[in-house]
Amino acid sequence: MSDKDFIESVRDRPGIYGLGGSYGDAVMFLIGFNEARSGGLLRGFTEWLVVRKGECSSLGWQALVLDEALPHIEGWGRHKLRSTNSQQEKEAVQLLLSLLREFLTVRDDVMALARMYAQYNSLHSQPPPEAA
């Protein structure tokens, strides 16, 4: 089974994998699976999310996904979960798994991955905006 197929299976039937809708549980599950794959599953995921957003960020993938999933809730990253309900967490989990599956398409295409890293490098090579 490919990584994309596996993530799609987790997204479609999270209960089979012991996930009950908690974003924290999904993150820990993916971190564990990534470790089992010697870091190969998530390598480049943060950079891809940064390029997708189009602006530099020091946040990790866990926080970047939450910022996209819960844009109307104040705070950064996991701080957003303090104000969420279980439905919002389930939606954040679904977004996480969908984004990861989308990323895996890029990760598995050598040229697309090279373009993504070039864009990431370009974002980090730009001078910071002038302070007002």
Side-chain angles (χ1 to χ4, degrees), residues 69-88:
L70 305 169
H72 55 283
I73 296 177
E74 284 198 39
W76 295 95
R78 293 208 37 94
H79 296 289
K80 288 184 174 239
L81 291 179
R82 293 182 187 155
S83 306
T84 63
N85 60 39
S86 61
Q87 183 59 35
Q88 288 171 319

Side-chain angles (χ1 to χ4, degrees), residues 4-5 9 18 35 50 53 59 62 65 71-72 87 99 104 107 115 120 122 125 130:
K4 285 192 305 189
D5 292 339
S9 177
E35 288 298 313
V50 166
K53 190 173 182 178
L59 299 176
Q62 304 91 329
V65 170
H72 55 283
Q87 183 59 35
L99 288 172
L104 292 173
R107 186 204 67 181
R115 282 189 299 274
Y120 182 79
S122 178
S125 299
E130 295 294 323

Side-chain angles (χ1 to χ4, degrees), residues 4-106:
K4 285 192 305 189
D5 292 339
F6 176 72
I7 295 302
E8 192 169 282
S9 177
V10 172
R11 185 187 67 197
D12 293 345
R13 302 181 73 191
I16 289 177
Y17 298 93
L19 300 176
S22 159
Y23 187 77
D25 288 350
V27 165
M28 294 311 301
F29 175 82
L30 291 173
I31 289 171
F33 188 74
N34 186 56
E35 288 298 313
R37 305 268 299 143
S38 300
L41 178 72
L42 298 172
R43 187 173 300 123
F45 188 44
T46 299
E47 294 84 351
W48 179 80
L49 289 168
V50 166
V51 167
R52 191 172 176 278
K53 190 173 182 178
E55 61 186 52
C56 292
S57 175
S58 62
L59 299 176
W61 60 265
Q62 304 91 329
L64 290 168
V65 170
L66 277 179
D67 285 345
E68 184 171 334
L70 305 169
H72 55 283
I73 296 177
E74 284 198 39
W76 295 95
R78 293 208 37 94
H79 296 289
K80 288 184 174 239
L81 291 179
R82 293 182 187 155
S83 306
T84 63
N85 60 39
S86 61
Q87 183 59 35
Q88 288 171 319
E89 280 207 59
K90 286 180 183 178
E91 290 170 10
V93 170
Q94 286 297 308
L95 178 64
L96 168 61
L97 297 172
S98 294
L99 288 172
L100 182 54
R101 188 173 185 302
E102 189 178 335
F103 161 72
L104 292 173
T105 300
V106 172

